[in-house]
Amino acid sequence: RQLDRLAMARARKKWFMAVGFRRPHTKFRAPARVTAARRAAGVEMPAWDERWPPIDAAWPAHRPMCRDLLHSDEVRAVGFDGGPRPLDEAVTRQLRLGYFSCVEWVDELVGALMAHVDRAGFANDTLVVFTSDHGWELGEHAGWCKGTLHERTLRVPLIVRDPRASRGAGAVERSVVQLVDLFPTMAELAGVPVPLARAKRLDGRSLAHLLRPGRPTPAAAREVLLRAPQPAGMPWAFPASAAFAVWPSCAAELAIGRRRQTECEACFRDGRQLPCADCEGSRCLRAPAPVRLMGLAIKTDAFRYVEWRAVGAASPAAVDWSAAGLEAVELFDHRADRRERANVAADPALAADRARLAANLRARFVQCEAAPPADPAAC
């Protein structure tokens, strides 16, 4: 309806519309016809060596199954506790069927929306971006839901329809980009000036050059880009072709050596703490659990590197960057292992790559962006 109103008004001022689809999200519900078609086409299952945590996995990397799935009838029926082991084959297939059916349903809905954009007369002057906030593990790495720093939970779809792009429809771009790049990209492509004070605080960078190679940048956007260089242009900083992510770990009983990751909440009933999987009903109280570790990741064309570091008691943002604060490290070599089946952080042949990625990670997260220090090693 909103598109129809805009079409009737034929207003020439710029407009922005955000359209969200809740699926695929728990609980996995899609029209019966969509689910039946997906079941008939078959459900792809992860390879057997993908169903276990990576070889030499860092212990904080595994997160228990999210509560929505853990409490589902299918999972309860087989007594699965969310631990780092494969789920029952039939239940895995059923959950994957539900997720894939939801994806196909959303694909239909997006197609209908795009057809309406075209019918309303906006096809030649409307920039459309399709993306998501996170991925999911569906039994890979013995993991379920989001909440890890693996490729499957961090990688998202990103499709851009730019009517003025110089690249043909269906072109594939394999550069490493981030969701924080979307705001400066859309602002530049739409010719929307960004206040300089805000531009200086942007974490992302414009990707317009990937969509319109060789095309001049609009004057309004060009001034901002020239006057507010991105941190990646500084000699001490991280490469522009990298993506970053963080995730907290509420590790239980870390101080006494029993290392396991838990949900970031504590559950109580009648004053007694109990596992959150067993905490239901009105008498169940949930409270945030303290964050003990922070996972910080960098993704490049060739690698994903993760450090799990202790955080201060006062704030999870107070990451301990000392040698003593480093709890665990992960390194996945995407040149040979895109499915991240082995943590190769201890491989001496990759020591130089690990050191470089550690320096890049430190440059991004240590607060040096405001003013590069005289000594780059300080970052």
Side-chain angles (χ1 to χ4, degrees):
R1 291 196 297 267
Q2 184 62 32
L3 282 171
D4 290 338
R5 282 194 287 267
L6 288 167
M8 287 189 295
R10 298 312 300 169
R12 286 299 147 199
K13 65 179 182 180
K14 293 180 171 65
W15 55 270
F16 173 83
M17 186 184 300
V19 181
F21 299 93
R22 191 174 187 274
R23 297 290 185 263
H25 201 286
T26 54
K27 300 177 177 176
F28 301 145
R29 297 291 184 266
R33 60 174 177 79
V34 177
T35 302
R38 170 41 49 196
R39 182 182 289 109
V43 178
E44 182 182 354
M45 297 288 283
W48 183 248
D49 61 349
E50 268 194 290
R51 301 188 194 189
W52 297 88
I55 298 170
D56 294 329
W59 71 265
H62 179 81
R63 182 177 183 271
M65 177 183 275
C66 54
R67 192 164 58 246
D68 287 351
L69 291 189
L70 194 61
H71 289 177
S72 67
D73 293 339
E74 298 92 338
V75 174
R76 281 176 172 259
V78 294
F80 186 66
D81 62 1
R85 58 185 176 84
L87 178 61
D88 174 84
E89 176 89 0
V91 178
T92 296
R93 187 178 300 276
Q94 182 65 24
L95 293 178
R96 289 172 70 91
L97 169 63
Y99 186 92
F100 296 155
S101 299
C102 289
V103 170
E104 294 198 11
W105 184 33
V106 169
D107 186 63
E108 282 188 14
L109 297 175
V110 172
L113 177 64
M114 294 304 299
H116 203 97
V117 168
D118 294 349
R119 285 196 302 271
F122 294 117
N124 296 323
D125 59 2
T126 302
L127 175 71
V128 181
V129 177
F130 174 83
T131 190
S132 181
D133 54 345
H134 58 79
W136 261 56
E137 284 182 322
L138 292 160
E140 298 88 357
H141 296 142
W144 290 88
C145 315
K146 56 180 181 180
T148 75
L149 291 172
H150 295 143
E151 178 82 354
R152 287 189 179 273
T153 55
L154 294 179
R155 189 172 183 177
V156 298
L158 179 58
I159 304 172
V160 180
R161 190 174 84 164
D162 176 13
R164 300 173 187 170
S166 54
R167 301 176 67 176
V172 177
E173 175 56 53
R174 301 194 181 279
S175 299
V176 177
V177 301
Q178 308 181 85
L179 291 178
V180 291
D181 298 333
L182 291 182
F183 173 73
T185 300
M186 296 179 72
E188 179 177 351
L189 293 176
V192 176
V194 179
L196 182 60
R198 178 171 295 178
K200 286 183 175 179
R201 297 196 301 269
L202 290 179
D203 287 319
R205 60 192 179 92
S206 175
L207 308 175
H209 63 286
L210 298 177
L211 296 163
R212 301 177 183 176
R215 295 266 185 109
T217 299
R222 183 170 62 248
E223 181 183 5
V224 169
L225 294 173
L226 292 176
R227 295 177 62 191
Q230 297 297 302
M234 301 175 183
W236 51 267
F238 48 88
S241 58
F244 297 88
V246 298
W247 188 261
S249 171
C250 297
E253 304 171 277
L254 181 60
I256 59 175
R258 293 178 57 191
R259 290 170 163 79
R260 59 187 177 88
Q261 187 177 172
T262 66
E263 293 281 2
C264 288
E265 63 180 1
C267 297
F268 302 87
R269 186 168 57 213
D270 300 330
R272 182 174 61 89
Q273 186 169 357
L274 70 164
C276 288
D278 301 328
C279 195
E280 296 182 346
S282 60
R283 291 189 302 164
C284 179
L285 301 177
R286 298 178 184 272
V291 174
R292 303 293 185 86
L293 299 171
M294 188 66 72
L296 306 106
I298 176 174
K299 154 74 176 170
T300 66
D301 288 332
F303 296 99
R304 180 180 303 281
Y305 175 76
V306 184
E307 289 186 359
W308 293 93
R309 289 188 167 274
V311 298
S315 169
V319 176
D320 183 350
W321 287 97
S322 70
L326 182 61
E327 176 67 27
V329 173
E330 295 174 281
L331 178 64
F332 298 103
D333 186 349
H334 285 180
R335 297 169 301 182
D337 180 24
R338 287 210 166 266
R339 296 184 177 182
E340 298 181 339
R341 288 173 285 193
N343 174 17
V344 292
D347 187 344
L350 299 175
D353 297 297
R354 172 178 165 172
R356 183 185 69 256
L357 292 164
N360 294 156
L361 195 72
R362 191 177 182 87
R364 171 63 183 86
F365 289 109
V366 177
Q367 298 302 307
C368 296
E369 285 91 342
D375 177 15
C379 288

